[in-house]
Amino acid sequence: MTRIYRLMLVLIASIGIGHNASAQCDPILRNDSTQWIFNGAVLSSAKVGNTLYVGGNFTTMSRYSGSLVNIDASTANPLALGSWPKVNGTVNAVISDGSGGYIIGGNFTQVGTTSRSMIAQINSAGQVTAWNPNSSGIVLTLTRFGTTVYVGGSFANIGGQPRNNIAALSLATGLATSWNPNSTGAVNTLTTNVTGTVVYAGGNFANIGGQSRSNIAALDATTGLATSWNPNSTGIVNAILINGTTAYVGGSFNNIGGQPRNNAAAISTTTGLASSWNPAPNGVVNDFLLNGANILVGGTFSTIGSQSRNGVGEVDPGLGNATSLNYALPAGAQVYEIKLTGNDLYLGGTFTLTSGQANLIKINKALGLITPWECNLSAGPVRAIEATATRVVAGGSFTNYYKNRQRIAAIDFL
């Protein structure tokens, strides 16, 4: 069994810290945790200015990250922001709070040194705020419209009020509003229309908003009551994307909107009926993203739009036929989240590339090629991504961030 050697900060501190901007080893890693962990023996070390060089019999170096990472969008190196808080359980959802910070939801009890049950806010400085809705159960999805945060999952109490699986929270106080659709089962996905007057919910439920609704519903954002819209899915709904008068719906079903549809469908937001769009992926759909006029679909499938596509495929908005775009992920790839910022497309999930990247990859949208972007996370899928031009915040069920280093590495200290 491989022995794990830890290089403790106390050892590094005993060597001394200086600064020498000319001392470089590509790429430099900035240590913002208490220790680096090597998968083999560290046999020697030397300090040059502000950089510690280490050598030994190792191939990777890693640090504990918890299940939420904050990384540089260009280099994939971790960003500290003072001391980025570590999350002690799974993160299922990450959204912007509109002020440079983030709201996260999942299955955890602590964020950094602060107790938080399933939901928390991290501000732009990387600090856990006083915002504390304190969910009694797992949070699976988050979306925000203005100063209202909509939460879905599997819980009975949140924001200081009894709420079954779905709630609206004040962004200012964390308290639940009077909005109470009262779902009988788990809510997996939430989104709103562009005016914020309708909240679309998907999941595994039979009743919501005071009406019988099979796994998908449209809810009045003021009253919480279900509208007359009723696509009636035969199976679980994981993703809803609203584009004008069309709702793209994904999950695990074989009939929706009055038509046989395998796992993906386009539903009229007016009538609730399915259109002729029918990409028919042969596995579960987890996410959608508009890519110009076309639609990117992510999930656990090997064919979509009558073409072989592993985990992610682009289809046209007409009949749902696959386009020529093919990111060529390996067989068995599972994509949970697709996020686009500028020309950078991020995929989160579970897949193993020859580069070693296993659950978070970056794609050059213009070229359609996977970027050699060394963001390696330990086993466990990436389930949520929030990205800007400079920063990527990703959550999932991993615990460590690591770099491939063959027997020599450099750690740069601020």
Side-chain angles (χ1 to χ4, degrees), residues 286 299 333-338 346-352 358-361 377-385 395-398:
N286 297 317
Q334 302 177 53
V335 174
Y336 291 99
E337 180 90 334
I338 310 173
Y346 297 94
L347 302 181
T350 300
F351 28 77
T352 302
N359 38 25
L360 179 60
I361 61 176
L377 303 171
S378 61
V382 168
R383 297 183 178 275
I385 304 169
S397 54
F398 50 84

PDB file of all heavy atoms in Angstrom, residues 286 299 333-338 346-352 358-361 377-385 395-398:
ATOM      1  N   ASN A 286     -29.416  15.468 -17.205  1.00  0.00           N
ATOM      2  CA  ASN A 286     -29.220  16.235 -15.976  1.00  0.00           C
ATOM      3  C   ASN A 286     -29.207  17.742 -16.165  1.00  0.00           C
ATOM      4  O   ASN A 286     -29.456  18.486 -15.207  1.00  0.00           O
ATOM      5  CB  ASN A 286     -27.905  15.828 -15.302  1.00  0.00           C
ATOM      6  CG  ASN A 286     -27.898  14.383 -14.860  1.00  0.00           C
ATOM      7  OD1 ASN A 286     -28.885  13.896 -14.303  1.00  0.00           O
ATOM      8  ND2 ASN A 286     -26.805  13.679 -15.112  1.00  0.00           N
ATOM      9  N   GLY A 299     -25.754  14.595 -19.479  1.00  0.00           N
ATOM     10  CA  GLY A 299     -26.363  13.529 -18.694  1.00  0.00           C
ATOM     11  C   GLY A 299     -25.545  12.259 -18.720  1.00  0.00           C
ATOM     12  O   GLY A 299     -24.313  12.288 -18.840  1.00  0.00           O
ATOM     13  N   ALA A 333     -19.083   8.507 -19.572  1.00  0.00           N
ATOM     14  CA  ALA A 333     -19.065   9.862 -19.016  1.00  0.00           C
ATOM     15  C   ALA A 333     -20.440  10.248 -18.486  1.00  0.00           C
ATOM     16  O   ALA A 333     -21.466   9.962 -19.107  1.00  0.00           O
ATOM     17  CB  ALA A 333     -18.614  10.859 -20.075  1.00  0.00           C
ATOM     18  N   GLN A 334     -20.444  10.900 -17.323  1.00  0.00           N
ATOM     19  CA  GLN A 334     -21.671  11.407 -16.726  1.00  0.00           C
ATOM     20  C   GLN A 334     -21.516  12.907 -16.502  1.00  0.00           C
ATOM     21  O   GLN A 334     -20.603  13.330 -15.796  1.00  0.00           O
ATOM     22  CB  GLN A 334     -21.940  10.718 -15.387  1.00  0.00           C
ATOM     23  CG  GLN A 334     -22.051   9.209 -15.476  1.00  0.00           C
ATOM     24  CD  GLN A 334     -22.242   8.573 -14.122  1.00  0.00           C
ATOM     25  OE1 GLN A 334     -23.140   8.956 -13.367  1.00  0.00           O
ATOM     26  NE2 GLN A 334     -21.396   7.610 -13.795  1.00  0.00           N
ATOM     27  N   VAL A 335     -22.370  13.696 -17.106  1.00  0.00           N
ATOM     28  CA  VAL A 335     -22.317  15.151 -16.967  1.00  0.00           C
ATOM     29  C   VAL A 335     -23.512  15.614 -16.148  1.00  0.00           C
ATOM     30  O   VAL A 335     -24.664  15.326 -16.478  1.00  0.00           O
ATOM     31  CB  VAL A 335     -22.312  15.838 -18.346  1.00  0.00           C
ATOM     32  CG1 VAL A 335     -22.409  17.351 -18.190  1.00  0.00           C
ATOM     33  CG2 VAL A 335     -21.046  15.467 -19.114  1.00  0.00           C
ATOM     34  N   TYR A 336     -23.221  16.320 -15.051  1.00  0.00           N
ATOM     35  CA  TYR A 336     -24.267  16.833 -14.172  1.00  0.00           C
ATOM     36  C   TYR A 336     -24.521  18.322 -14.364  1.00  0.00           C
ATOM     37  O   TYR A 336     -25.632  18.794 -14.115  1.00  0.00           O
ATOM     38  CB  TYR A 336     -23.897  16.576 -12.709  1.00  0.00           C
ATOM     39  CG  TYR A 336     -23.938  15.119 -12.320  1.00  0.00           C
ATOM     40  CD1 TYR A 336     -22.777  14.368 -12.276  1.00  0.00           C
ATOM     41  CD2 TYR A 336     -25.138  14.490 -12.014  1.00  0.00           C
ATOM     42  CE1 TYR A 336     -22.801  13.026 -11.927  1.00  0.00           C
ATOM     43  CE2 TYR A 336     -25.174  13.152 -11.670  1.00  0.00           C
ATOM     44  CZ  TYR A 336     -24.002  12.423 -11.621  1.00  0.00           C
ATOM     45  OH  TYR A 336     -24.043  11.091 -11.292  1.00  0.00           O
ATOM     46  N   GLU A 337     -23.500  19.064 -14.770  1.00  0.00           N
ATOM     47  CA  GLU A 337     -23.631  20.522 -14.861  1.00  0.00           C
ATOM     48  C   GLU A 337     -22.871  21.034 -16.063  1.00  0.00           C
ATOM     49  O   GLU A 337     -21.745  20.604 -16.342  1.00  0.00           O
ATOM     50  CB  GLU A 337     -23.103  21.181 -13.590  1.00  0.00           C
ATOM     51  CG  GLU A 337     -23.178  22.704 -13.572  1.00  0.00           C
ATOM     52  CD  GLU A 337     -24.478  23.248 -12.992  1.00  0.00           C
ATOM     53  OE1 GLU A 337     -25.494  22.538 -13.048  1.00  0.00           O
ATOM     54  OE2 GLU A 337     -24.490  24.387 -12.499  1.00  0.00           O
ATOM     55  N   ILE A 338     -23.501  21.966 -16.794  1.00  0.00           N
ATOM     56  CA  ILE A 338     -22.875  22.642 -17.927  1.00  0.00           C
ATOM     57  C   ILE A 338     -22.947  24.136 -17.660  1.00  0.00           C
ATOM     58  O   ILE A 338     -24.018  24.674 -17.367  1.00  0.00           O
ATOM     59  CB  ILE A 338     -23.589  22.335 -19.253  1.00  0.00           C
ATOM     60  CG1 ILE A 338     -23.799  20.832 -19.441  1.00  0.00           C
ATOM     61  CG2 ILE A 338     -22.806  22.906 -20.431  1.00  0.00           C
ATOM     62  CD1 ILE A 338     -24.656  20.484 -20.646  1.00  0.00           C
ATOM     63  N   TYR A 346     -17.623  24.898 -19.247  1.00  0.00           N
ATOM     64  CA  TYR A 346     -17.214  23.990 -18.171  1.00  0.00           C
ATOM     65  C   TYR A 346     -18.221  22.850 -18.057  1.00  0.00           C
ATOM     66  O   TYR A 346     -19.438  23.070 -18.081  1.00  0.00           O
ATOM     67  CB  TYR A 346     -17.124  24.735 -16.838  1.00  0.00           C
ATOM     68  CG  TYR A 346     -16.082  25.817 -16.821  1.00  0.00           C
ATOM     69  CD1 TYR A 346     -16.420  27.137 -17.129  1.00  0.00           C
ATOM     70  CD2 TYR A 346     -14.752  25.534 -16.513  1.00  0.00           C
ATOM     71  CE1 TYR A 346     -15.457  28.139 -17.126  1.00  0.00           C
ATOM     72  CE2 TYR A 346     -13.795  26.531 -16.498  1.00  0.00           C
ATOM     73  CZ  TYR A 346     -14.148  27.822 -16.807  1.00  0.00           C
ATOM     74  OH  TYR A 346     -13.191  28.822 -16.806  1.00  0.00           O
ATOM     75  N   LEU A 347     -17.692  21.644 -17.909  1.00  0.00           N
ATOM     76  CA  LEU A 347     -18.516  20.467 -17.685  1.00  0.00           C
ATOM     77  C   LEU A 347     -18.136  19.858 -16.346  1.00  0.00           C
ATOM     78  O   LEU A 347     -16.960  19.620 -16.072  1.00  0.00           O
ATOM     79  CB  LEU A 347     -18.302  19.416 -18.781  1.00  0.00           C
ATOM     80  CG  LEU A 347     -18.563  19.823 -20.235  1.00  0.00           C
ATOM     81  CD1 LEU A 347     -18.311  18.630 -21.157  1.00  0.00           C
ATOM     82  CD2 LEU A 347     -19.984  20.346 -20.410  1.00  0.00           C
ATOM     83  N   GLY A 348     -19.129  19.608 -15.521  1.00  0.00           N
ATOM     84  CA  GLY A 348     -18.900  18.942 -14.246  1.00  0.00           C
ATOM     85  C   GLY A 348     -19.597  17.601 -14.226  1.00  0.00           C
ATOM     86  O   GLY A 348     -20.710  17.468 -14.730  1.00  0.00           O
ATOM     87  N   GLY A 349     -18.945  16.615 -13.667  1.00  0.00           N
ATOM     88  CA  GLY A 349     -19.541  15.290 -13.609  1.00  0.00           C
ATOM     89  C   GLY A 349     -18.537  14.252 -13.192  1.00  0.00           C
ATOM     90  O   GLY A 349     -17.719  14.474 -12.293  1.00  0.00           O
ATOM     91  N   THR A 350     -18.565  13.109 -13.883  1.00  0.00           N
ATOM     92  CA  THR A 350     -17.608  12.036 -13.649  1.00  0.00           C
ATOM     93  C   THR A 350     -17.153  11.509 -14.997  1.00  0.00           C
ATOM     94  O   THR A 350     -17.960  10.975 -15.757  1.00  0.00           O
ATOM     95  CB  THR A 350     -18.245  10.884 -12.840  1.00  0.00           C
ATOM     96  OG1 THR A 350     -18.687  11.388 -11.586  1.00  0.00           O
ATOM     97  CG2 THR A 350     -17.238   9.773 -12.598  1.00  0.00           C
ATOM     98  N   PHE A 351     -15.895  11.688 -15.299  1.00  0.00           N
ATOM     99  CA  PHE A 351     -15.297  11.183 -16.528  1.00  0.00           C
ATOM    100  C   PHE A 351     -13.793  11.202 -16.346  1.00  0.00           C
ATOM    101  O   PHE A 351     -13.262  12.013 -15.599  1.00  0.00           O
ATOM    102  CB  PHE A 351     -15.678  12.028 -17.743  1.00  0.00           C
ATOM    103  CG  PHE A 351     -15.981  13.467 -17.435  1.00  0.00           C
ATOM    104  CD1 PHE A 351     -14.968  14.375 -17.185  1.00  0.00           C
ATOM    105  CD2 PHE A 351     -17.278  13.914 -17.370  1.00  0.00           C
ATOM    106  CE1 PHE A 351     -15.243  15.695 -16.892  1.00  0.00           C
ATOM    107  CE2 PHE A 351     -17.570  15.233 -17.066  1.00  0.00           C
ATOM    108  CZ  PHE A 351     -16.560  16.124 -16.826  1.00  0.00           C
ATOM    109  N   THR A 352     -13.123  10.305 -17.017  1.00  0.00           N
ATOM    110  CA  THR A 352     -11.671  10.219 -16.895  1.00  0.00           C
ATOM    111  C   THR A 352     -11.035  10.445 -18.256  1.00  0.00           C
ATOM    112  O   THR A 352     -11.284   9.705 -19.202  1.00  0.00           O
ATOM    113  CB  THR A 352     -11.237   8.844 -16.347  1.00  0.00           C
ATOM    114  OG1 THR A 352     -11.859   8.643 -15.081  1.00  0.00           O
ATOM    115  CG2 THR A 352      -9.729   8.781 -16.179  1.00  0.00           C
ATOM    116  N   ALA A 358     -10.685  14.284 -14.019  1.00  0.00           N
ATOM    117  CA  ALA A 358     -11.669  13.249 -13.747  1.00  0.00           C
ATOM    118  C   ALA A 358     -13.094  13.757 -13.567  1.00  0.00           C
ATOM    119  O   ALA A 358     -14.025  12.998 -13.776  1.00  0.00           O
ATOM    120  CB  ALA A 358     -11.255  12.458 -12.502  1.00  0.00           C
ATOM    121  N   ASN A 359     -13.300  15.002 -13.189  1.00  0.00           N
ATOM    122  CA  ASN A 359     -14.665  15.431 -12.909  1.00  0.00           C
ATOM    123  C   ASN A 359     -14.970  16.906 -13.191  1.00  0.00           C
ATOM    124  O   ASN A 359     -16.087  17.346 -12.980  1.00  0.00           O
ATOM    125  CB  ASN A 359     -15.049  15.098 -11.462  1.00  0.00           C
ATOM    126  CG  ASN A 359     -13.913  15.297 -10.487  1.00  0.00           C
ATOM    127  OD1 ASN A 359     -13.002  16.082 -10.755  1.00  0.00           O
ATOM    128  ND2 ASN A 359     -13.941  14.584  -9.377  1.00  0.00           N
ATOM    129  N   LEU A 360     -13.998  17.667 -13.657  1.00  0.00           N
ATOM    130  CA  LEU A 360     -14.236  19.050 -14.051  1.00  0.00           C
ATOM    131  C   LEU A 360     -13.332  19.385 -15.230  1.00  0.00           C
ATOM    132  O   LEU A 360     -12.108  19.309 -15.112  1.00  0.00           O
ATOM    133  CB  LEU A 360     -13.954  20.007 -12.885  1.00  0.00           C
ATOM    134  CG  LEU A 360     -14.135  21.503 -13.156  1.00  0.00           C
ATOM    135  CD1 LEU A 360     -15.573  21.823 -13.564  1.00  0.00           C
ATOM    136  CD2 LEU A 360     -13.734  22.337 -11.940  1.00  0.00           C
ATOM    137  N   ILE A 361     -13.929  19.722 -16.358  1.00  0.00           N
ATOM    138  CA  ILE A 361     -13.122  20.044 -17.543  1.00  0.00           C
ATOM    139  C   ILE A 361     -13.572  21.372 -18.141  1.00  0.00           C
ATOM    140  O   ILE A 361     -14.686  21.835 -17.918  1.00  0.00           O
ATOM    141  CB  ILE A 361     -13.182  18.935 -18.611  1.00  0.00           C
ATOM    142  CG1 ILE A 361     -14.617  18.736 -19.115  1.00  0.00           C
ATOM    143  CG2 ILE A 361     -12.594  17.644 -18.095  1.00  0.00           C
ATOM    144  CD1 ILE A 361     -14.709  17.729 -20.237  1.00  0.00           C
ATOM    145  N   LEU A 377      -9.527  16.806  -9.230  1.00  0.00           N
ATOM    146  CA  LEU A 377     -10.216  16.651  -7.964  1.00  0.00           C
ATOM    147  C   LEU A 377     -10.329  15.172  -7.653  1.00  0.00           C
ATOM    148  O   LEU A 377     -10.450  14.342  -8.551  1.00  0.00           O
ATOM    149  CB  LEU A 377     -11.603  17.289  -8.027  1.00  0.00           C
ATOM    150  CG  LEU A 377     -11.616  18.776  -8.392  1.00  0.00           C
ATOM    151  CD1 LEU A 377     -13.029  19.246  -8.651  1.00  0.00           C
ATOM    152  CD2 LEU A 377     -10.968  19.608  -7.300  1.00  0.00           C
ATOM    153  N   SER A 378     -10.305  14.846  -6.373  1.00  0.00           N
ATOM    154  CA  SER A 378     -10.368  13.447  -5.973  1.00  0.00           C
ATOM    155  C   SER A 378     -11.719  12.838  -6.342  1.00  0.00           C
ATOM    156  O   SER A 378     -12.639  13.532  -6.781  1.00  0.00           O
ATOM    157  CB  SER A 378     -10.114  13.315  -4.473  1.00  0.00           C
ATOM    158  OG  SER A 378     -11.105  14.017  -3.743  1.00  0.00           O
ATOM    159  N   ALA A 379     -11.829  11.531  -6.168  1.00  0.00           N
ATOM    160  CA  ALA A 379     -13.017  10.794  -6.582  1.00  0.00           C
ATOM    161  C   ALA A 379     -14.296  11.411  -6.039  1.00  0.00           C
ATOM    162  O   ALA A 379     -14.368  11.828  -4.890  1.00  0.00           O
ATOM    163  CB  ALA A 379     -12.895   9.345  -6.128  1.00  0.00           C
ATOM    164  N   GLY A 380     -15.306  11.460  -6.869  1.00  0.00           N
ATOM    165  CA  GLY A 380     -16.591  12.058  -6.521  1.00  0.00           C
ATOM    166  C   GLY A 380     -16.978  13.067  -7.580  1.00  0.00           C
ATOM    167  O   GLY A 380     -16.162  13.902  -7.977  1.00  0.00           O
ATOM    168  N   PRO A 381     -18.208  13.027  -8.075  1.00  0.00           N
ATOM    169  CA  PRO A 381     -18.597  13.911  -9.171  1.00  0.00           C
ATOM    170  C   PRO A 381     -18.685  15.384  -8.781  1.00  0.00           C
ATOM    171  O   PRO A 381     -18.947  15.718  -7.626  1.00  0.00           O
ATOM    172  CB  PRO A 381     -19.985  13.387  -9.561  1.00  0.00           C
ATOM    173  CG  PRO A 381     -20.499  12.718  -8.338  1.00  0.00           C
ATOM    174  CD  PRO A 381     -19.304  12.126  -7.664  1.00  0.00           C
ATOM    175  N   VAL A 382     -18.454  16.257  -9.762  1.00  0.00           N
ATOM    176  CA  VAL A 382     -18.771  17.681  -9.637  1.00  0.00           C
ATOM    177  C   VAL A 382     -20.230  17.840 -10.048  1.00  0.00           C
ATOM    178  O   VAL A 382     -20.633  17.440 -11.142  1.00  0.00           O
ATOM    179  CB  VAL A 382     -17.861  18.531 -10.531  1.00  0.00           C
ATOM    180  CG1 VAL A 382     -18.382  19.962 -10.633  1.00  0.00           C
ATOM    181  CG2 VAL A 382     -16.446  18.541  -9.975  1.00  0.00           C
ATOM    182  N   ARG A 383     -21.032  18.409  -9.166  1.00  0.00           N
ATOM    183  CA  ARG A 383     -22.465  18.526  -9.392  1.00  0.00           C
ATOM    184  C   ARG A 383     -22.933  19.954  -9.622  1.00  0.00           C
ATOM    185  O   ARG A 383     -24.068  20.178 -10.062  1.00  0.00           O
ATOM    186  CB  ARG A 383     -23.232  17.929  -8.206  1.00  0.00           C
ATOM    187  CG  ARG A 383     -22.978  16.435  -8.016  1.00  0.00           C
ATOM    188  CD  ARG A 383     -23.799  15.862  -6.876  1.00  0.00           C
ATOM    189  NE  ARG A 383     -23.589  14.432  -6.737  1.00  0.00           N
ATOM    190  CZ  ARG A 383     -24.231  13.503  -7.424  1.00  0.00           C
ATOM    191  NH1 ARG A 383     -25.138  13.870  -8.317  1.00  0.00           N
ATOM    192  NH2 ARG A 383     -23.983  12.223  -7.241  1.00  0.00           N
ATOM    193  N   ALA A 384     -22.091  20.947  -9.327  1.00  0.00           N
ATOM    194  CA  ALA A 384     -22.522  22.335  -9.432  1.00  0.00           C
ATOM    195  C   ALA A 384     -21.340  23.213  -9.803  1.00  0.00           C
ATOM    196  O   ALA A 384     -20.233  23.016  -9.294  1.00  0.00           O
ATOM    197  CB  ALA A 384     -23.127  22.803  -8.119  1.00  0.00           C
ATOM    198  N   ILE A 385     -21.569  24.186 -10.682  1.00  0.00           N
ATOM    199  CA  ILE A 385     -20.517  25.108 -11.130  1.00  0.00           C
ATOM    200  C   ILE A 385     -21.089  26.515 -11.215  1.00  0.00           C
ATOM    201  O   ILE A 385     -22.196  26.713 -11.711  1.00  0.00           O
ATOM    202  CB  ILE A 385     -19.965  24.716 -12.522  1.00  0.00           C
ATOM    203  CG1 ILE A 385     -19.458  23.276 -12.541  1.00  0.00           C
ATOM    204  CG2 ILE A 385     -18.853  25.672 -12.953  1.00  0.00           C
ATOM    205  CD1 ILE A 385     -19.155  22.765 -13.947  1.00  0.00           C
ATOM    206  N   GLY A 395     -18.770  22.633  -6.865  1.00  0.00           N
ATOM    207  CA  GLY A 395     -19.126  21.809  -5.723  1.00  0.00           C
ATOM    208  C   GLY A 395     -19.476  20.398  -6.143  1.00  0.00           C
ATOM    209  O   GLY A 395     -19.866  20.153  -7.284  1.00  0.00           O
ATOM    210  N   GLY A 396     -19.339  19.463  -5.208  1.00  0.00           N
ATOM    211  CA  GLY A 396     -19.663  18.073  -5.489  1.00  0.00           C
ATOM    212  C   GLY A 396     -19.451  17.216  -4.268  1.00  0.00           C
ATOM    213  O   GLY A 396     -19.726  17.639  -3.145  1.00  0.00           O
ATOM    214  N   SER A 397     -18.910  16.007  -4.501  1.00  0.00           N
ATOM    215  CA  SER A 397     -18.664  15.093  -3.378  1.00  0.00           C
ATOM    216  C   SER A 397     -17.209  14.658  -3.303  1.00  0.00           C
ATOM    217  O   SER A 397     -16.893  13.618  -2.740  1.00  0.00           O
ATOM    218  CB  SER A 397     -19.583  13.864  -3.489  1.00  0.00           C
ATOM    219  OG  SER A 397     -19.457  13.241  -4.736  1.00  0.00           O
ATOM    220  N   PHE A 398     -16.310  15.464  -3.854  1.00  0.00           N
ATOM    221  CA  PHE A 398     -14.868  15.241  -3.750  1.00  0.00           C
ATOM    222  C   PHE A 398     -14.353  15.810  -2.439  1.00  0.00           C
ATOM    223  O   PHE A 398     -15.072  16.517  -1.728  1.00  0.00           O
ATOM    224  CB  PHE A 398     -14.148  15.896  -4.926  1.00  0.00           C
ATOM    225  CG  PHE A 398     -14.564  17.332  -5.141  1.00  0.00           C
ATOM    226  CD1 PHE A 398     -13.977  18.359  -4.432  1.00  0.00           C
ATOM    227  CD2 PHE A 398     -15.575  17.648  -6.044  1.00  0.00           C
ATOM    228  CE1 PHE A 398     -14.368  19.668  -4.593  1.00  0.00           C
ATOM    229  CE2 PHE A 398     -15.983  18.976  -6.221  1.00  0.00           C
ATOM    230  CZ  PHE A 398     -15.381  19.982  -5.497  1.00  0.00           C
TER     231      PHE A 398
END
